[in-house]
Amino acid sequence: MGRPGSTGGFDRLGGYRYLPISEHGLIGDLRTAALVATDGTIDWYCCPRFDAPSMFASVLDADRGGRFELAADVPARTRQFYFPDTNVLITRFFAADGVAEIQDFMPVVDESREADRHRLIRRVVSVRGTLPFRATVAPRFGYGAQQHTVELVDGHAVFRSPELDVALTATVPVETDGQDVLAHFKLLEGESAVFALDRVSDAIGPRACPNREAEQQFQATVRFWRHWLSQSRYHGRWREMVHRSALLLKLLTYAPTGAIIAAPTTSLPEQVGGERNWDYRYVWVRDAAFCIYAMLRLGFTAEAEAFMGFISETGIMRGTGESGPLQIMYGIDGRCDLPERELAHLEGHLGSAPVRVGNAATGQLQLDIYGALIDSVYLYDKWGQPISSGHWDEVGAVVDWLCDHWDQPDEGIWETRAGRRDFVYSRLMCWVALERAIRMANRRGLPADLPRWQRARDAIYRQIMARGWSTERGAFVQGLDDKVLDASLLMMPMAKFISPTDPKWLSTLDALTSDLVSDSLVYRYDPTASPDGLRGSEGTFSICSFWYVEALARAGRLEEARLAFEKMLTYANHVGLFAEEIGRTGEQLGNFPQAFTHLSLISAAFNLDRALG
């Protein structure tokens, strides 16, 4: 549980400054989320929305980021787990004189609108014996850049900053040092203490959270998550991991609009000390569309319907991007402008600078997103509710545009910053967009320029077969007429572009296994063979590892698929969560937890389970 690289800063368990990325659980209320470390400290929290400036960000800067520390005030071992079938997180402390636990959760209010009050509750319970505890509430507003004041009023503390005011109420005495709020208290067996953090304003005042109310809120939150999860239709071999992934995807949903974010964090490094640090607190069309597939597979049609509402109400498919009808990502409220800037005053996780907010990839052309989106519309129309005539008009306009623009270079699925190229995966997903649109038109008798759509679809197929196949490599390759392998092509049989037992595909699968797979873990590509415009290296990409499992299963290599899947599960953290990547020694890298990884886990588990019978 140590924090590598201790060079000062606040003293946590072990005296280190940073826990590994994986040493966290996530709580949330379908509007924002918080990372809770295994030593009881909230290391990341943005209020009132996922994309708001942070008030706790010690995961990015142990000294200037801000934190909510709550821990036993004696040497203790800790363990962390989720209350079964919920997103309520329990951190337990085992000391010489007793055992206690922190119950962390955010009550979920009406899902249909933004909440006036955002509440984070931390309840400490002495389970056995007696334990002293300490608390330090040290917010640093505006990503640690804004000054704040704090005052104690009628037993509660109010923190005020230029853009956000929050109140801390507690059932134990608290004091202030002028900037932070501190508490020291002792709990006898069976006793509890409650800390509640609320956003406040002129219209919303501080509200106490006595033990009885905390218990009621705890039970209500447990009921909410269990009721939601009870809709799942998955009863296969990996039920616990699949359901944890589903709960995570739900946590990453912004309820007021139906948007689904890629991850709740920014700038957690893909390489410690490197520059591959990005803000993922936005709606990637690709990621969200793939999430809809995973949710529909499990029977959660309401989430698919909400995302379709997000597409419709924000007018995304009616044309907002400079490069075409779609941008690659949007804000959780549908906004298009996400300017990227660097926060030079934050050192980054383990010194991994720069820390970025916003994302300049917004302006990229990534043609594969059209396939992901149209496929999600197709699946919703098939498994959820038939799409409306208005939605079909939007689909038709997008597909008509794609007929004229599929044959051009783009930045591709991996958002390279080395210029546009003719990526085979982008062509593949353009084919998917056209093929799924044609299926919908034929199945429902919807109006469409089918001859034109079919000509474009067939032209893409022929181009991939002629120029996306390398005879020398015996494999489909990253770009037209080149020789570089790319793990994104694991999607070819899943997209039904090619039979999973086609000789060309099996040869490709063997080539990918040889060049990009390391003990079931899959690299996206070789950056030395295919420069991406960024310095440094990266870990294996977890979504690709789960795609690899599914490709093996579809090819009939079930023993290999099952072993690869079981190996991948060993890289999950202690509560079943995955970041974006896995490093050479098994450490989790990149923003955490990552929707992409968990949706691919669901798909791999579903299809492998079905193949095993």
Side-chain angles (χ1 to χ4, degrees):
M1 188 176 304
R3 292 187 170 259
S6 178
T7 57
F10 67 95
D11 184 22
R12 299 169 70 162
L13 294 179
Y16 294 99
R17 300 180 70 224
Y18 293 99
L19 276 177
I21 291 169
S22 62
E23 290 290 314
H24 293 86
L26 189 75
I27 61 173
D29 62 358
L30 307 182
R31 288 155 181 82
T32 187
L35 288 180
V36 185
T38 51
D39 64 2
T41 299
I42 294 179
D43 272 336
W44 177 257
Y45 177 50
C46 300
C47 183
R49 309 190 332 174
F50 292 114
D51 56 356
S54 64
M55 60 182 289
F56 300 135
S58 52
V59 73
L60 293 178
D61 193 307
D63 302 324
R64 292 176 288 272
R67 72 194 191 278
F68 188 157
E69 181 185 6
L70 183 57
D73 206 15
V74 292
R77 296 177 295 109
T78 68
R79 293 289 185 272
Q80 199 174 62
F81 70 100
Y82 277 109
F83 200 76
D85 294 334
T86 76
N87 280 314
V88 174
L89 192 67
I90 312 294
T91 306
R92 291 171 65 84
F93 294 79
F94 301 85
D97 295 326
V99 178
E101 66 184 34
I102 303 172
Q103 301 165 351
D104 283 308
F105 61 97
M106 295 186 198
V108 180
V109 297
D110 180 5
E111 287 192 66
S112 64
R113 58 179 173 79
E114 183 53 277
D116 294 326
R117 182 182 299 276
H118 287 265
R119 169 160 279 194
L120 190 160
I121 295 176
R122 314 199 73 188
R123 181 167 68 164
V124 191
V125 181
S126 178
V127 179
R128 301 176 66 185
T130 301
L131 276 182
F133 268 80
R134 70 179 186 273
T136 302
V137 186
R140 299 294 182 265
F141 295 94
Y143 301 112
Q146 295 179 356
Q147 297 296 315
H148 72 271
T149 62
V150 59
E151 58 179 333
L152 295 180
V153 182
D154 298 329
H156 60 260
V158 178
F159 298 91
R160 301 192 186 279
S161 73
E163 297 177 2
L164 178 67
D165 296 341
V166 296
L168 175 77
T169 61
T171 59
V172 296
V174 299
E175 58 185 9
T176 178
D177 62 4
Q179 186 177 32
D180 305 331
V181 170
L182 313 171
H184 289 83
F185 56 97
K186 181 178 289 187
L187 296 178
L188 304 179
E189 185 170 322
E191 291 184 335
S192 63
V194 177
F195 294 82
L197 198 64
D198 292 279
R199 181 181 69 162
V200 295
S201 65
D202 292 339
I204 310 167
R207 190 181 78 197
C209 187
N211 281 290
R212 183 175 179 181
E213 181 175 339
E215 173 63 19
Q216 292 171 344
Q217 292 288 294
F218 177 88
Q219 295 296 339
T221 305
V222 167
R223 284 195 302 272
F224 171 84
W225 289 114
R226 287 183 170 173
H227 172 73
W228 180 81
L229 190 61
S230 68
Q231 302 168 73
S232 171
R233 294 199 300 254
Y234 182 81
H235 303 287
R237 293 169 174 81
W238 298 281
R239 185 170 179 267
E240 184 175 350
M241 287 299 294
V242 167
H243 281 176
R244 177 51 52 200
S245 294
L247 285 163
L248 182 275
L249 294 183
K250 181 65 172 176
L251 264 185
L252 300 184
T253 301
Y254 183 64
T257 64
I260 304 171
I261 61 169
T265 55
T266 180
S267 300
L268 293 182
E270 297 174 19
Q271 178 190 26
V272 172
E275 65 173 341
R276 298 169 185 261
N277 315 316
W278 315 108
D279 192 346
Y280 277 12
R281 297 172 298 157
Y282 307 114
V283 185
W284 266 256
V285 171
R286 174 193 311 109
D287 300 41
F290 283 164
C291 278
I292 295 308
Y293 165 80
M295 288 297 204
L296 286 170
R297 269 292 184 208
L298 300 179
F300 297 109
T301 56
E303 284 64 36
E305 183 175 357
F307 181 66
M308 292 299 147
F310 173 76
I311 294 172
S312 178
E313 291 172 19
T314 55
I316 286 173
M317 292 180 69
R318 292 193 290 274
T320 51
E322 294 182 3
S323 300
L326 297 177
Q327 286 187 179
I328 71 163
M329 77 181 87
Y330 298 86
I332 56 176
D333 52 8
R335 72 187 187 280
C336 302
D337 189 25
L338 306 172
E340 181 176 299
R341 59 191 176 96
E342 296 182 2
L343 305 181
H345 63 284
L346 297 179
E347 72 172 9
H349 182 77
L350 285 172
S352 303
V355 172
R356 296 181 173 96
V357 294
N359 202 306
T362 308
Q364 288 192 355
L365 175 66
Q366 296 177 19
L367 291 170
D368 68 282
I369 65 174
Y370 293 92
L373 183 61
I374 300 300
D375 191 44
S376 71
V377 173
Y378 163 76
L379 293 172
Y380 177 71
D381 182 73
K382 180 179 179 181
W383 294 341
Q385 297 290 330
I387 64 169
S388 68
S389 57
H391 271 142
W392 178 248
D393 289 341
E394 293 172 358
V395 168
V398 167
V399 174
D400 284 337
W401 180 89
L402 203 58
C403 285
D404 293 328
H405 295 90
W406 65 265
D407 193 10
Q408 60 178 307
D410 69 345
E411 277 88 2
I413 181 177
W414 306 132
E415 294 177 8
T416 63
R417 299 197 175 191
R420 295 180 177 180
R421 294 177 50 202
D422 290 307
F423 288 104
V424 172
Y425 180 79
S426 297
R427 298 294 198 273
L428 167 69
M429 296 307 288
C430 287
W431 178 91
V432 168
L434 289 156
E435 200 274 339
R436 301 306 190 263
I438 291 167
R439 283 195 195 190
M440 276 190 286
N442 285 329
R443 185 165 57 85
R444 291 188 50 198
L446 296 168
D449 190 352
L450 287 177
R452 183 183 183 218
W453 292 6
Q454 290 166 346
R455 283 194 301 272
R457 178 198 63 185
D458 295 348
I460 298 171
Y461 180 90
R462 294 189 185 99
Q463 186 185 82
I464 292 174
M465 287 300 185
R467 300 176 58 197
W469 169 262
S470 168
T471 303
E472 180 179 334
R473 296 303 305 268
F476 291 103
V477 287
Q478 184 180 72
L480 299 181
D481 304 317
D482 74 18
K483 303 171 186 176
V484 177
L485 298 179
D486 192 307
S488 64
L489 298 181
L490 288 163
M491 278 289 292
M492 293 181 93
M494 286 183 268
K496 303 189 186 309
F497 177 85
I498 194 169
S499 165
T501 57
D502 186 290
K504 282 190 172 182
W505 172 248
L506 294 178
S507 178
T508 300
L509 186 56
D510 289 339
L512 291 170
T513 300
S514 174
D515 282 30
L516 297 181
V517 178
S518 173
D519 189 39
S520 83
L521 300 176
V522 182
Y523 291 93
R524 295 190 290 182
Y525 51 86
D526 179 357
T528 59
S530 178
D532 55 16
L534 296 166
R535 296 187 301 273
S537 61
E538 61 179 16
T540 56
F541 221 68
S542 292
I543 187 174
C544 298
S545 299
F546 285 119
W547 283 349
Y548 180 61
V549 169
E550 194 163 341
L552 288 171
R554 289 174 182 266
R557 300 178 181 179
L558 297 183
E559 285 299 319
E560 293 176 63
R562 186 168 188 176
L563 181 59
F565 188 72
E566 295 288 359
K567 284 183 177 180
M568 268 302 296
L569 296 186
T570 69
Y571 290 101
N573 82 340
H574 58 287
V575 288
L577 302 180
F578 285 90
E580 185 176 30
E581 301 181 14
I582 296 171
R584 289 187 61 83
T585 58
E587 71 275 19
Q588 301 220 28
L589 297 171
N591 284 304
F592 173 89
Q594 177 84 354
F596 231 175
T597 305
H598 286 274
L599 65 90
S600 61
L601 183 157
I602 291 171
S603 181
F606 185 92
N607 286 289
L608 178 57
D609 197 69
R610 184 170 59 180
L612 289 169

